[in-house]
Amino acid sequence: MSIDHVLEEARRFAPILLLDRAEPFRPVQIGVHAFHAEGPSPSSKFQVTLRGDICYEYAIFWDHDICHTYDLEHVWVHVAEGKVIAVEATFHGSRHEVSLALADGQPLIWCEAGAHAHFRNRAHRDQMAEATRLTCGSSAGHGGVHTGNPFAQDWTEITAADHRLAKLYLQRLQFTPCFGHGLDVDLADVPFLPVTDLPVFIKARMEILLGKLRRQTPHMPAIFFDCGDTLVDEGTEIKRDDGSDVVISAELIPGAEKVIRDLHDMGYRLCLVADGPRETFENVLKPSGLWDLFEQHVISGDVGVHKPDARMFEVAREKMGLTKDQLRYVPMIGNNLERDILGANRAGHPSFFFDWSDRRRRIPETQDEQPTVQFSSLQVLVHILQLFEFSLSKDP
């Protein structure tokens, strides 16, 4: 039997998925394989045992489910004497038999909202309603890019930033399932290909999806940080005794190291934008390893001006390879209203004022010193930044 004939016959028995009417995704491609004898699935972990003359495997690729970028689900349709006699399908990593219901010879399968697992029947869907609501709501995006699959080893490197962008994209698609009557999606209308061609398709498709996430998902392309009384406690500074302003050592503010490491591990690009001699910041940040977690260091002693001078922010933008249009997505975090906040506001950045110390004024005197966000504990900063990033949109 030729490949074209296999695909043509597989369309005759292709499942009709009953999707939730609020479902944001649709199947993109289907890899097909025909079994004439017992054998391992070529695209899943399961062994297939014939129930009739032939069994058609449908490997159903979705760009996303509500928890991950990449979703591959499976249905096996057993045929005897030209009729469907049994259907098996995947359900959250397992496989079970689906109650046999046909429409013009094609099996009908209830599909879980958001997650795309296959229910045994409508009653099974209704029993799982509460779990489905949770998946489509607060659990949206929790898995990032799904790399726990047999095809992922052939993909380009998936970075922490890719996982974060996938989570962000999916979190913004949270929805409430409708339940009720299903929306029919006939898999015969979705492009078919031999399952042997599926790895090449998936690799190319993932490159497209990751590229779209990077280009089109509103996110923070960088975060700018001040140092003194933002990361380092200025009250603990020990300066050189030669009359210079160079600090030999100082203690980090409690929580500062964890904040920077957590943000770095989440794939955020960090830039230090600080006033003082470069030697100071190397002395106070290198012992903890934080200096190397900043992609760039924009130091007033090198630039020749200090904040709020626009040149400090221009140099930071240039060194980080940012466009002017991106500045409204790049927060500046600092403790000084006259320098960090005023400079950030004038340069077009969101300004995050850390008001933990009494060493400097804590109340804005002008509208230009009014911060976008004000906080008093580093323990909440990562969460605040995540909320800010979630709120971003493409609209100016």
Side-chain angles (χ1 to χ4, degrees):
M1 186 183 297
S2 70
I3 289 296
D4 288 342
H5 184 64
V6 169
L7 298 181
E8 182 181 349
E9 286 295 294
R11 288 186 189 281
R12 289 180 54 202
F13 306 107
I16 297 172
L17 299 184
L18 303 177
L19 303 187
D20 190 272
R21 291 184 176 274
E23 172 63 52
F25 309 113
R26 296 293 183 271
V28 173
Q29 187 79 45
I30 299 174
V32 173
H33 182 72
F35 289 89
H36 299 278
E38 180 177 345
S41 163
S43 61
S44 76
K45 63 184 179 182
F46 298 103
Q47 185 79 6
V48 175
T49 302
L50 286 185
R51 308 271 189 94
D53 304 324
I54 190 170
C55 176
Y56 291 103
E57 174 176 292
Y58 301 85
I60 308 163
F61 181 82
W62 308 66
D63 287 344
H64 312 272
D65 62 38
I66 198 61
C67 296
H68 309 88
T69 292
Y70 173 97
D71 182 27
L72 189 66
E73 304 291 340
H74 288 79
V75 174
W76 294 270
V77 177
H78 296 269
V79 176
E81 298 181 355
K83 295 181 180 180
V84 175
I85 60 168
V87 177
E88 298 172 283
T90 50
F91 184 81
H92 294 291
S94 65
R95 176 176 60 176
H96 57 204
E97 185 134 351
V98 174
S99 299
L100 190 59
L102 303 175
D104 295 328
Q106 294 175 258
L108 301 173
I109 304 177
W110 289 93
C111 190
E112 185 177 13
H116 313 146
H118 304 107
F119 294 115
R120 292 187 180 91
N121 47 42
R122 181 169 180 165
H124 186 202
R125 182 205 68 175
D126 295 343
Q127 291 168 6
M128 295 289 295
E130 195 56 42
T132 300
R133 287 191 188 95
L134 180 64
T135 297
C136 297
S138 60
S139 294
H142 75 82
V145 181
H146 184 2
T147 56
N149 65 80
F151 303 102
Q153 61 186 4
D154 296 325
W155 303 348
T156 55
E157 181 185 2
I158 307 300
T159 67
D162 292 327
H163 284 294
R164 193 183 85 248
L165 292 178
K167 291 178 182 179
L168 193 60
Y169 171 76
L170 295 167
Q171 285 168 351
R172 290 172 175 154
L173 291 178
Q174 293 180 40
F175 68 99
T176 301
C178 297
F179 300 107
H181 295 292
L183 176 67
D184 294 4
V185 173
D186 189 342
L187 295 189
D189 296 330
V190 178
F192 278 23
L193 52 67
V195 75
T196 51
D197 294 343
L198 196 58
V200 173
F201 167 81
I202 289 177
K203 180 180 180 180
R205 187 69 181 182
M206 288 301 297
E207 290 179 0
I208 292 171
L209 292 175
L210 292 169
K212 284 184 177 180
L213 287 172
R214 294 162 186 161
R215 292 190 310 272
Q216 299 179 9
T217 304
H219 67 284
M220 295 186 297
I223 304 173
F224 292 176
F225 270 92
D226 178 46
C227 184
D229 276 348
T230 300
L231 300 174
V232 170
D233 184 348
E234 291 185 0
T236 67
E237 290 181 347
I238 298 175
K239 292 189 177 181
R240 230 164 38 194
D241 59 6
D242 60 1
S244 71
D245 288 330
V246 174
V247 176
I248 299 172
S249 65
E251 296 177 7
L252 295 176
I253 296 170
E257 182 173 355
K258 186 175 190 312
V259 164
I260 297 302
R261 291 193 181 280
D262 285 352
L263 292 173
H264 181 269
D265 290 346
M266 294 165 69
Y268 288 107
R269 302 174 64 212
L270 307 178
C271 179
L272 187 69
V273 185
D275 293 329
R278 171 174 286 264
E279 189 176 349
T280 286
F281 304 110
E282 292 181 351
N283 288 341
V284 299
L285 295 177
K286 281 187 174 182
S288 62
L290 295 190
W291 175 264
D292 292 331
L293 300 186
F294 288 95
E295 186 174 326
Q296 296 290 341
H297 310 88
V298 179
I299 311 298
S300 66
D302 299 336
V303 179
V305 297
H306 59 67
K307 297 168 290 184
D309 194 292
R311 184 61 185 152
M312 287 288 286
F313 296 92
E314 290 170 3
V315 171
R317 175 176 63 81
E318 291 166 1
K319 282 195 168 189
M320 295 296 283
L322 303 170
T323 67
K324 291 183 178 180
D325 290 340
Q326 290 178 302
L327 298 186
R328 62 194 178 98
Y329 298 143
V330 180
M332 172 70 206
I333 299 164
N335 71 305
N336 193 318
L337 290 169
E338 299 174 56
R339 293 191 178 189
D340 303 315
I341 306 308
L342 177 62
N345 288 342
R346 287 179 175 174
H349 293 270
S351 53
F352 283 50
F353 176 45
F354 182 31
D355 68 347
W356 83 290
S357 171
D358 289 326
R359 274 183 280 275
R360 290 179 181 81
R361 183 164 47 81
R362 304 172 77 171
I363 299 176
E365 291 184 349
T366 67
Q367 186 61 36
D368 283 348
E369 290 182 350
Q370 192 67 41
T372 308
V373 175
Q374 186 166 334
F375 65 102
S376 58
S377 171
L378 288 178
Q379 278 70 27
V380 302
L381 179 55
V382 172
H383 182 61
I384 290 172
L385 287 168
Q386 288 177 309
L387 291 176
F388 173 76
E389 186 171 48
F390 180 80
S391 74
L392 296 177
S393 71
K394 292 183 180 179
D395 299 326

